[in-house]
Amino acid sequence: MPLPWLLGLGVGGAIAKIVKDVKDDIEDTNEQAKDIVYDSTNAANQSRKACSEAIADLKNLKIYILNHSVKSFVDIFEKVHNVELTEFTAINELKKFKIVKHSFEDLEELKEISMTERLLLGGVGGLFLGATPIMILNAAKMSANRDIAYSNLARAKEIEEKMKTDRLLCNGIRIRATMFQWLLLKLNSVFEPFVAMLERTIEEAGTDFSQYTLQQKAVVASCLSIVSAIKAVLDTPILTEDGKLTKESDRIAVPTQKVIERYK
């Protein structure tokens, strides 16, 4: 009778479909996990790169201003005698001022994907490289592989959240570094003309501050006020030792902008 044979074919076909559905689910889940890891780490790496570039640009700008505008001012100001502006005695510190190293950490902890993420990124894509027809037909192994696939997906989502956190931190650092660049550029743009005026004052009136007119003394006071603001920015670290944004770097914007507005 043909009925048992047809029945057997129907059951076999049903089993084959179930096996195929499970296999497709495993492959789709692993592919989803791989895409999540790839997209999130790629976005985080782009943020890290932009952050690193902003930090490097700020470092170079700080060095430039220190070695040019500030150094030029200190050399000129040292010629002036009998200065009575005692509130600006911090000018001596500029002679030995060094850029604080931890202001420019390369954020090594944010540059590299962790070993777990690397293993997952490489592993989820190759999960089925060793699959055989025997394994596909083995229900227990199929179930185990599906469990692994869903475990990979869960790990991928955890990595995605970590990458989001890293990306937000990098973006915050980049924005803060860009703000510092803007402050320094604005300060420098108002500082250089006053340094030139101070140089002309010395040429015209000599180096004895006590003999200067009120206007000439105002030039000296303006230079000292601006250079003090520059030093405050140069002195303020953007990052803590563990790579987080400092509160000081957030607070410095308002008083610095007031100096810029006063002398622009």
Side-chain angles (χ1 to χ4, degrees):
M1 296 175 60
L3 187 57
W5 180 80
L6 290 174
L7 183 61
L9 180 61
V11 172
I15 292 174
K17 185 179 186 307
I18 292 172
V19 169
K20 182 180 182 303
D21 288 346
V22 173
K23 180 176 180 294
D24 289 345
D25 182 44
I26 293 171
E27 290 178 345
D28 291 345
T29 301
N30 278 316
E31 192 63 31
Q32 183 184 357
K34 181 180 178 181
D35 289 345
I36 288 173
V37 173
Y38 178 83
D39 291 343
S40 61
T41 52
N42 185 54
N45 284 333
Q46 289 180 6
S47 295
R48 291 178 184 122
K49 183 174 182 292
C51 175
S52 180
E53 289 173 351
I55 289 289
D57 289 344
L58 176 59
K59 176 180 180 179
N60 291 334
L61 179 60
K62 281 188 171 186
I63 292 173
Y64 176 83
I65 290 177
L66 180 62
N67 291 336
H68 290 79
S69 302
V70 173
K71 183 178 183 301
S72 176
F73 166 71
V74 170
D75 291 343
I76 294 170
F77 183 74
E78 283 184 328
K79 299 175 184 178
V80 182
H81 305 295
N82 300 321
V83 179
E84 300 167 358
L85 302 173
T86 55
E87 64 269 29
F88 294 109
T89 55
I91 189 66
N92 292 325
E93 297 178 20
L94 287 167
K95 300 176 186 177
K96 56 184 178 181
F97 185 76
K98 301 293 181 184
I99 293 178
V100 181
K101 182 179 179 181
H102 71 260
S103 296
F104 303 108
E105 293 295 341
D106 287 334
L107 309 180
E108 293 296 336
E109 69 279 7
L110 298 178
K111 284 186 174 181
E112 297 295 334
I113 302 172
S114 72
M115 184 59 67
T116 301
E117 293 153 9
R118 288 178 180 275
L119 289 174
L120 181 55
L121 187 57
V124 294
L127 188 61
F128 284 99
L129 291 179
T132 67
I134 295 176
M135 184 179 71
I136 293 173
L137 293 175
N138 188 312
K141 288 185 178 179
M142 288 294 289
S143 177
N145 284 338
R146 183 159 57 180
D147 289 343
I148 292 172
Y150 281 103
S151 176
N152 283 338
L153 181 59
R155 289 164 60 201
K157 290 180 178 179
E158 290 176 2
I159 289 170
E160 182 181 33
E161 289 303 312
K162 181 182 182 299
M163 292 298 100
K164 284 181 181 178
T165 300
D166 287 353
R167 194 166 70 247
L168 287 173
L169 175 59
C170 286
N171 289 341
I173 294 171
R174 175 182 56 79
I175 292 170
R176 190 67 52 84
T178 301
M179 181 191 78
F180 266 51
Q181 290 180 59
W182 184 88
L183 291 174
L184 285 172
L185 286 170
K186 287 294 184 180
L187 283 170
N188 198 53
S189 69
V190 298
F191 184 49
E192 288 181 336
F194 276 100
V195 174
M197 282 190 282
L198 176 60
E199 192 168 24
R200 286 197 300 272
T201 296
I202 292 174
E203 291 174 356
E204 296 170 0
T207 59
D208 189 348
F209 179 84
S210 64
Q211 300 301 311
Y212 286 178
T213 65
L214 289 177
Q215 185 176 2
Q216 290 168 336
K217 289 181 178 181
V219 170
V220 177
S222 297
C223 284
L224 290 168
S225 178
I226 298 169
V227 80
S228 294
I230 290 175
K231 183 181 182 298
V233 177
L234 292 174
D235 244 340
T236 302
I238 289 182
L239 303 178
T240 62
E241 292 293 342
D242 58 352
K244 302 296 174 58
L245 288 169
T246 64
K247 294 180 180 179
E248 300 94 319
S249 65
D250 183 39
R251 291 194 293 259
I252 199 170
V254 173
T256 303
Q257 287 176 327
K258 288 181 179 179
V259 173
I260 293 169
E261 290 296 320
R262 187 184 311 144
Y263 295 106
K264 71 176 183 179

